[in-house]
Amino acid sequence: AVRRRLPALRWLPRYSPAWLQLDAMAGLSVGLTAVPQALAYAEVAGLPLQYGLYSSFMGCFVYCFLGTAKDVTLGPTAIMSLLVSSYAFHEPVYAVLLAFLSGCIQLAMGLLHLGFLLDFISCPVIKGFTSAASITISLNQVKNILGLQGIPRQFFLQVYEMLWRIGETRAGDAVMGVACLAVLAGLRAMKSRLPRPARAEPLAARVSYLIVWTAATARNALVVLFAGLVAYSFQVMGSQPLTLTGSIPQGLPAFRLPRFSMAAPNGTIPFGSMVEDMGVGLAVVPLMGLLETVAIAKAFASQNDYRIDPNQELLALGFANILGSFVSSYPITGSFGRTAVNAQSGVCTPAGGLITGALVLLSLAYLTSLFYYIPKAALAAVIISAVVPMFDAGIFRTLWRVKRLDLVPLCVTFLLCFWEVQYGIVAGVLVSGILLLYSIARPPVKVSEGDMLLVQLGSSLHFPAIECLRDTVCSQALAASPPRSVILDCCHISSIDYTVVVGLAELLQELRKHGLSLAFCSLQEPVLRVLLAADLEGFQHFPSREEAEQCGGAEPGRCRTAPFTSTDESSLLPA
């Protein structure tokens, strides 16, 4: 039990020096990606930039000991930052409290083994949300590339205001932003097409590969570094055409409990009011955090042939968010981009996260004064480069070919997320749930005509479907010329409830009024046991459809193959 709850005990006793080199390289590569992204994602969340760094190290340390996937790295992400922007109202006190409460909810879900709740969020809903988030986050950063100030954060107002004020674009910011985007896109394309050299290749070829691979992997850090040098050069010359990040407080955050109230101009906002203000965010943020982490972990686990435990991931994420809130972190989750860097760097164990976390701490302790010169346009380019791949244009074409009905929750989620993120997610889940319930309430029914009507259910039988089944059977049996008895093939029915039993009893009575019979065939043992215990009047069961057709629905005793009939037990049905 201890090894299951503390996965580090599985790999730590057999840790080898050969792994240390690979883990250190991977941790360093991820750290060089994490620091500039942390600053950029804090901008998306609408928080002071230091909160991105505060959110980037605790998850690395916690997941090292509690995580089940060697590749996953926890920290701020574009999706989570967008959610924090919606539910924390750009207030650090709200954001840190949201991290604490989300961690508590995730921890409770992990202890109660509620990871299965993720199964109710369908793929079209996830794709609709991530595609809308990609557009929303990208557009939110265009204002920084154009150098515009005072742009509202609401999507439609943002579009209108930027188009209206396009003439106020600052040339320096625009040139810097476009140049950074071009360099990032070029380095990304270069890395995807970079052939791995064989061991027989000359040393120069392997060194060249390592240099190009390192530059492409750490492209965010390189772009931010060079942009900062350009901005510093302008500052030294006495003219500054770029909008700079500005001062960031130096030093590590204090380790303390999150604040459960907040001072306001007209008094103090108590804990209850803060929770009420967050509203549905207390459900959306924990679930989306878990969804991102588990989806990423499953994707890389399948590539590397190991399994993950969703409930253990919940525990790791919960502890990371709770402890993170003690160092002023906003909610974190698994990052696909940094996890990909981790995997491509050859990480062997989650210990690589220790190096990443240490690098973030060093940046906080000693480098924040240098962040002053980072242009906002460069950070905006880093964000846009990270979120553009999240937009999946092909999903619309794929669903049109595979199942067009799935386009409904996809489009509902996609469109409503431009209004409010929470409305899009909740509406998408509700629409998916309605479609799921409809398929349960209206199972496919196949009716074959012969001497008797053979009715085959294409799926299991639940209580919402019993009225539909009754209407179908009665209408088909009585509409036939002459009216015919019915054989109900139950091979797909694995369980039934009391409402179904009552409905079947009423169906038997209805057919008997018209001189017709209803025979059941291929009943599975649990269903047969329930029907026998219910003591249905006129109940007949044949082991196979062929035997039922042979007997033609005859009364027991008038057929060579006698059916099972009801027992003498007291009826479970109402009188």
Side-chain angles (χ1 to χ4, degrees):
V2 174
R3 286 169 64 88
R4 189 172 67 251
R5 294 302 181 199
L6 199 61
L9 295 179
R10 303 175 195 169
W11 55 264
L12 196 56
R14 52 190 180 88
Y15 196 83
S16 69
W19 294 354
L20 180 59
Q21 181 181 358
L22 291 170
D23 285 346
M25 175 62 73
L28 185 62
S29 301
V30 174
L32 292 173
T33 303
V35 171
Q37 280 192 343
L39 298 171
Y41 289 148
E43 167 73 20
V44 175
L47 300 173
L49 299 193
Q50 66 268 24
Y51 283 87
L53 294 172
Y54 294 165
S55 306
S56 298
F57 62 88
M58 186 60 77
C60 300
F61 297 143
V62 172
Y63 197 84
C64 174
F65 298 100
L66 297 179
T68 56
K70 67 180 179 65
D71 304 293
V72 170
T73 60
L74 299 185
T77 65
I79 296 292
M80 193 54 63
S81 299
L82 180 65
L83 294 175
V84 170
S85 172
S86 299
Y87 298 118
F89 318 109
H90 311 160
E91 287 288 347
V93 176
Y94 272 89
V96 174
L97 182 60
L98 181 59
F100 177 78
L101 296 177
S102 297
C104 291
I105 292 169
Q106 290 163 339
L107 188 61
M109 290 174 65
L111 293 173
L112 296 174
H113 292 82
L114 297 180
F116 72 91
L117 291 176
L118 288 180
D119 298 338
F120 291 95
I121 304 177
S122 65
C123 186
V125 172
I126 298 169
K127 289 290 187 181
F129 167 63
T130 54
S131 296
S134 172
I135 296 174
T136 302
I137 295 169
S138 297
L139 192 68
N140 187 42
Q141 296 306 308
V142 170
K143 67 178 187 291
N144 289 328
I145 288 182
L146 299 179
L148 301 177
Q149 303 291 329
I151 301 294
R153 298 183 73 88
Q154 208 280 336
F155 180 80
F156 297 106
L157 291 177
Q158 209 172 65
V159 174
Y160 172 80
E161 193 73 14
M162 281 194 293
L163 291 176
W164 181 258
R165 296 173 52 189
I166 194 72
E168 302 174 21
T169 299
R170 291 169 58 101
D173 287 323
V175 171
M176 174 62 73
V178 172
C180 290
L181 280 173
V183 171
L184 288 168
L187 288 173
R188 178 193 291 273
M190 186 185 300
K191 184 177 180 181
S192 64
R193 292 170 172 80
L194 187 64
R196 182 179 291 274
R199 290 188 176 182
E201 293 278 348
L203 179 61
R206 284 180 286 163
V207 170
S208 301
Y209 168 83
L210 182 61
I211 292 172
V212 174
W213 181 89
T214 303
T217 300
R219 58 185 177 274
N220 292 329
L222 287 177
V223 163
V224 168
L225 174 63
F226 284 115
L229 289 174
V230 171
Y232 179 75
S233 301
F234 280 117
Q235 191 83 2
V236 169
M237 290 188 296
S239 65
Q240 187 54 268
L242 303 172
T243 304
L244 303 183
T245 295
S247 299
I248 296 177
Q250 187 166 345
L252 304 180
F255 190 84
R256 62 189 178 193
L257 277 170
R259 289 162 56 187
F260 294 95
S261 62
M262 190 180 78
N266 55 349
T268 301
I269 303 176
F271 174 72
S273 297
M274 295 178 73
V275 171
E276 187 177 343
D277 291 340
M278 294 176 195
V280 72
L282 292 175
V284 173
V285 170
L287 280 177
M288 292 307 299
L290 174 63
L291 184 65
E292 274 198 274
T293 303
V294 171
I296 292 167
K298 284 185 175 180
F300 284 90
S302 62
Q303 294 175 14
N304 295 280
D305 196 24
Y306 60 85
R307 300 183 64 184
I308 65 154
D309 179 2
N311 293 307
Q312 181 61 32
E313 294 295 301
L314 264 171
L315 293 176
L317 194 57
F319 273 116
N321 274 312
I322 291 173
L323 293 177
S325 69
F326 285 36
V327 290
S328 301
S329 165
Y330 67 81
I332 60 173
T333 183
S335 165
F336 187 87
R338 295 192 294 275
T339 298
V341 171
N342 211 19
Q344 291 164 5
S345 302
V347 70
C348 297
T349 68
L354 298 177
I355 307 297
T356 301
L359 191 60
V360 175
L361 289 175
L362 287 173
S363 300
L364 272 168
Y366 302 109
L367 301 179
T368 49
S369 59
L370 302 179
F371 296 156
Y372 177 92
Y373 297 101
I374 297 176
K376 284 191 173 183
L379 292 179
V382 168
I383 296 172
I384 294 173
S385 176
V387 300
V388 163
M390 294 189 329
F391 183 79
D392 187 359
I395 188 64
F396 295 91
R397 183 173 62 255
T398 301
L399 291 182
W400 181 263
R401 292 199 313 265
V402 175
K403 188 177 182 182
R404 295 177 184 177
L405 196 60
D406 282 341
L407 284 169
V408 177
L410 173 74
C411 293
V412 166
T413 306
F414 180 76
L415 295 175
L416 286 182
C417 276
F418 292 121
W419 179 22
E420 288 288 348
V421 172
Q422 62 269 31
Y423 296 156
I425 296 172
V426 172
V429 171
L430 287 177
V431 170
S432 292
I434 290 170
L435 295 178
L436 174 65
L437 292 174
Y438 184 82
S439 66
I440 293 173
R442 296 294 181 268
V445 179
K446 180 182 177 183
V447 180
S448 304
E449 294 193 10
D451 294 336
M452 299 181 67
L453 286 182
L454 175 63
V455 178
Q456 294 174 292
L457 279 170
S459 62
S460 196
L461 182 62
H462 302 282
F463 70 88
I466 188 61
E467 288 299 324
C468 175
L469 178 65
R470 280 182 56 197
D471 293 343
T472 301
V473 170
C474 286
S475 61
Q476 294 280 350
L478 298 178
S481 181
R484 297 172 190 175
S485 296
V486 178
I487 299 173
L488 185 61
D489 189 344
C490 303
C491 63
H492 295 298
I493 303 175
S494 57
S495 65
I496 57 175
D497 53 42
Y498 180 73
T499 306
V500 172
V501 173
V502 172
L504 292 175
E506 293 172 352
L507 177 60
L508 280 165
Q509 293 171 4
E510 181 73 18
L511 292 175
R512 286 173 70 86
K513 284 180 185 177
H514 294 86
L516 304 176
S517 64
L518 172 65
F520 298 82
C521 69
S522 305
L523 283 171
Q524 297 184 29
E525 185 179 349
V527 180
L528 177 60
R529 193 162 51 243
V530 170
L531 292 176
L532 290 176
D535 195 22
L536 303 181
E537 183 180 353
F539 171 69
Q540 304 177 71
H541 167 247
F542 297 87
S544 67
R545 187 199 323 170
E546 291 75 15
E547 294 180 19
E549 289 173 339
Q550 269 186 350
C551 294
E555 293 292 333
R558 294 183 57 189
C559 175
R560 231 174 253 180
T561 306
F564 292 105
T565 58
S566 58
T567 65
D568 294 331
E569 298 178 23
S570 59
S571 175
L572 300 179
L573 300 178

mmCIF file of all heavy atoms in Angstrom, residues 528 531-532 535-536 538-541 555-557 562-568:
data_model
loop_
_atom_site.group_PDB
_atom_site.id
_atom_site.type_symbol
_atom_site.label_atom_id
_atom_site.label_comp_id
_atom_site.label_asym_id
_atom_site.label_seq_id
_atom_site.Cartn_x
_atom_site.Cartn_y
_atom_site.Cartn_z
ATOM 1 N N LEU A 528 -32.399 -13.541 -15.833
ATOM 2 C CA LEU A 528 -33.337 -14.643 -15.633
ATOM 3 C C LEU A 528 -33.695 -14.790 -14.158
ATOM 4 O O LEU A 528 -34.862 -15.008 -13.800
ATOM 5 C CB LEU A 528 -32.714 -15.944 -16.155
ATOM 6 C CG LEU A 528 -33.537 -17.221 -15.950
ATOM 7 C CD1 LEU A 528 -34.891 -17.114 -16.642
ATOM 8 C CD2 LEU A 528 -32.771 -18.441 -16.454
ATOM 9 N N LEU A 531 -36.231 -12.076 -13.210
ATOM 10 C CA LEU A 531 -37.558 -12.287 -13.768
ATOM 11 C C LEU A 531 -38.270 -13.467 -13.107
ATOM 12 O O LEU A 531 -39.495 -13.440 -12.905
ATOM 13 C CB LEU A 531 -37.457 -12.497 -15.277
ATOM 14 C CG LEU A 531 -37.028 -11.261 -16.087
ATOM 15 C CD1 LEU A 531 -36.864 -11.615 -17.553
ATOM 16 C CD2 LEU A 531 -38.057 -10.139 -15.929
ATOM 17 N N LEU A 532 -37.536 -14.511 -12.773
ATOM 18 C CA LEU A 532 -38.153 -15.638 -12.065
ATOM 19 C C LEU A 532 -38.601 -15.221 -10.667
ATOM 20 O O LEU A 532 -39.672 -15.617 -10.204
ATOM 21 C CB LEU A 532 -37.175 -16.806 -11.979
ATOM 22 C CG LEU A 532 -36.871 -17.533 -13.298
ATOM 23 C CD1 LEU A 532 -35.811 -18.604 -13.096
ATOM 24 C CD2 LEU A 532 -38.148 -18.156 -13.878
ATOM 25 N N ASP A 535 -41.964 -13.424 -10.544
ATOM 26 C CA ASP A 535 -43.173 -14.251 -10.710
ATOM 27 C C ASP A 535 -44.154 -13.599 -11.684
ATOM 28 O O ASP A 535 -45.329 -13.387 -11.370
ATOM 29 C CB ASP A 535 -43.836 -14.488 -9.347
ATOM 30 C CG ASP A 535 -44.856 -15.622 -9.416
ATOM 31 O OD1 ASP A 535 -44.749 -16.468 -10.332
ATOM 32 O OD2 ASP A 535 -45.764 -15.640 -8.570
ATOM 33 N N LEU A 536 -43.666 -13.282 -12.886
ATOM 34 C CA LEU A 536 -44.521 -12.653 -13.887
ATOM 35 C C LEU A 536 -45.542 -13.654 -14.420
ATOM 36 O O LEU A 536 -45.189 -14.789 -14.767
ATOM 37 C CB LEU A 536 -43.678 -12.111 -15.044
ATOM 38 C CG LEU A 536 -42.582 -11.100 -14.697
ATOM 39 C CD1 LEU A 536 -41.860 -10.664 -15.963
ATOM 40 C CD2 LEU A 536 -43.160 -9.896 -13.988
ATOM 41 N N GLY A 538 -47.556 -15.612 -16.955
ATOM 42 C CA GLY A 538 -47.375 -15.954 -18.359
ATOM 43 C C GLY A 538 -45.945 -15.873 -18.839
ATOM 44 O O GLY A 538 -45.692 -15.911 -20.046
ATOM 45 N N PHE A 539 -44.989 -15.787 -17.913
ATOM 46 C CA PHE A 539 -43.579 -15.666 -18.295
ATOM 47 C C PHE A 539 -43.061 -16.973 -18.890
ATOM 48 O O PHE A 539 -43.261 -18.049 -18.331
ATOM 49 C CB PHE A 539 -42.745 -15.287 -17.061
ATOM 50 C CG PHE A 539 -41.257 -15.349 -17.303
ATOM 51 C CD1 PHE A 539 -40.640 -14.440 -18.142
ATOM 52 C CD2 PHE A 539 -40.483 -16.331 -16.703
ATOM 53 C CE1 PHE A 539 -39.277 -14.487 -18.364
ATOM 54 C CE2 PHE A 539 -39.114 -16.396 -16.917
ATOM 55 C CZ PHE A 539 -38.516 -15.468 -17.762
ATOM 56 N N GLN A 540 -42.447 -16.894 -20.062
ATOM 57 C CA GLN A 540 -41.817 -18.041 -20.720
ATOM 58 C C GLN A 540 -40.411 -17.662 -21.146
ATOM 59 O O GLN A 540 -40.191 -16.573 -21.653
ATOM 60 C CB GLN A 540 -42.595 -18.457 -21.976
ATOM 61 C CG GLN A 540 -44.059 -18.778 -21.769
ATOM 62 C CD GLN A 540 -44.703 -19.085 -23.101
ATOM 63 O OE1 GLN A 540 -44.434 -20.137 -23.703
ATOM 64 N NE2 GLN A 540 -45.538 -18.179 -23.575
ATOM 65 N N HIS A 541 -39.495 -18.610 -20.947
ATOM 66 C CA HIS A 541 -38.125 -18.366 -21.364
ATOM 67 C C HIS A 541 -37.573 -19.597 -22.038
ATOM 68 O O HIS A 541 -37.721 -20.732 -21.549
ATOM 69 C CB HIS A 541 -37.231 -18.015 -20.170
ATOM 70 C CG HIS A 541 -35.763 -18.074 -20.508
ATOM 71 N ND1 HIS A 541 -34.917 -19.006 -19.956
ATOM 72 C CD2 HIS A 541 -35.017 -17.363 -21.395
ATOM 73 C CE1 HIS A 541 -33.702 -18.850 -20.465
ATOM 74 N NE2 HIS A 541 -33.739 -17.864 -21.337
ATOM 75 N N GLU A 555 -48.053 -22.465 -24.935
ATOM 76 C CA GLU A 555 -48.080 -22.546 -23.473
ATOM 77 C C GLU A 555 -47.181 -23.681 -22.996
ATOM 78 O O GLU A 555 -46.979 -24.653 -23.717
ATOM 79 C CB GLU A 555 -49.510 -22.795 -22.984
ATOM 80 C CG GLU A 555 -50.461 -21.639 -23.235
ATOM 81 C CD GLU A 555 -50.117 -20.432 -22.404
ATOM 82 O OE1 GLU A 555 -49.528 -20.609 -21.316
ATOM 83 O OE2 GLU A 555 -50.413 -19.309 -22.838
ATOM 84 N N PRO A 556 -46.646 -23.590 -21.790
ATOM 85 C CA PRO A 556 -45.803 -24.650 -21.275
ATOM 86 C C PRO A 556 -46.531 -25.987 -21.292
ATOM 87 O O PRO A 556 -47.704 -26.089 -20.962
ATOM 88 C CB PRO A 556 -45.503 -24.199 -19.841
ATOM 89 C CG PRO A 556 -45.700 -22.724 -19.856
ATOM 90 C CD PRO A 556 -46.734 -22.454 -20.844
ATOM 91 N N GLY A 557 -45.825 -27.003 -21.695
ATOM 92 C CA GLY A 557 -46.403 -28.340 -21.737
ATOM 93 C C GLY A 557 -46.860 -28.735 -23.110
ATOM 94 O O GLY A 557 -47.069 -29.900 -23.385
ATOM 95 N N ALA A 562 -39.657 -27.632 -23.255
ATOM 96 C CA ALA A 562 -40.430 -26.852 -22.281
ATOM 97 C C ALA A 562 -39.647 -25.631 -21.847
ATOM 98 O O ALA A 562 -38.477 -25.719 -21.523
ATOM 99 C CB ALA A 562 -40.748 -27.715 -21.056
ATOM 100 N N PRO A 563 -40.324 -24.495 -21.867
ATOM 101 C CA PRO A 563 -39.630 -23.287 -21.428
ATOM 102 C C PRO A 563 -39.560 -23.214 -19.915
ATOM 103 O O PRO A 563 -40.291 -23.903 -19.218
ATOM 104 C CB PRO A 563 -40.515 -22.168 -21.974
ATOM 105 C CG PRO A 563 -41.902 -22.750 -21.963
ATOM 106 C CD PRO A 563 -41.729 -24.206 -22.280
ATOM 107 N N PHE A 564 -38.658 -22.363 -19.428
ATOM 108 C CA PHE A 564 -38.679 -22.021 -18.008
ATOM 109 C C PHE A 564 -39.908 -21.161 -17.759
ATOM 110 O O PHE A 564 -40.238 -20.282 -18.543
ATOM 111 C CB PHE A 564 -37.415 -21.240 -17.625
ATOM 112 C CG PHE A 564 -36.180 -22.052 -17.691
ATOM 113 C CD1 PHE A 564 -35.288 -21.886 -18.739
ATOM 114 C CD2 PHE A 564 -35.892 -23.007 -16.719
ATOM 115 C CE1 PHE A 564 -34.138 -22.627 -18.812
ATOM 116 C CE2 PHE A 564 -34.732 -23.752 -16.793
ATOM 117 C CZ PHE A 564 -33.850 -23.568 -17.842
ATOM 118 N N THR A 565 -40.571 -21.332 -16.644
ATOM 119 C CA THR A 565 -41.728 -20.514 -16.293
ATOM 120 C C THR A 565 -41.497 -19.900 -14.939
ATOM 121 O O THR A 565 -40.531 -20.187 -14.245
ATOM 122 C CB THR A 565 -43.010 -21.365 -16.262
ATOM 123 O OG1 THR A 565 -42.825 -22.415 -15.328
ATOM 124 C CG2 THR A 565 -43.301 -21.943 -17.638
ATOM 125 N N SER A 566 -42.431 -19.058 -14.525
ATOM 126 C CA SER A 566 -42.275 -18.349 -13.261
ATOM 127 C C SER A 566 -42.344 -19.310 -12.096
ATOM 128 O O SER A 566 -42.959 -20.376 -12.162
ATOM 129 C CB SER A 566 -43.359 -17.290 -13.126
ATOM 130 O OG SER A 566 -44.637 -17.884 -13.198
ATOM 131 N N THR A 567 -41.729 -18.931 -10.973
ATOM 132 C CA THR A 567 -41.671 -19.763 -9.777
ATOM 133 C C THR A 567 -42.872 -19.498 -8.902
ATOM 134 O O THR A 567 -43.741 -18.679 -9.203
ATOM 135 C CB THR A 567 -40.396 -19.445 -8.991
ATOM 136 O OG1 THR A 567 -40.502 -18.092 -8.539
ATOM 137 C CG2 THR A 567 -39.173 -19.568 -9.855
ATOM 138 N N ASP A 568 -42.919 -20.200 -7.784
ATOM 139 C CA ASP A 568 -44.020 -20.027 -6.839
ATOM 140 C C ASP A 568 -43.737 -18.955 -5.805
ATOM 141 O O ASP A 568 -44.498 -18.790 -4.859
ATOM 142 C CB ASP A 568 -44.281 -21.364 -6.105
ATOM 143 C CG ASP A 568 -44.784 -22.411 -7.081
ATOM 144 O OD1 ASP A 568 -45.422 -22.012 -8.073
ATOM 145 O OD2 ASP A 568 -44.523 -23.601 -6.844
#
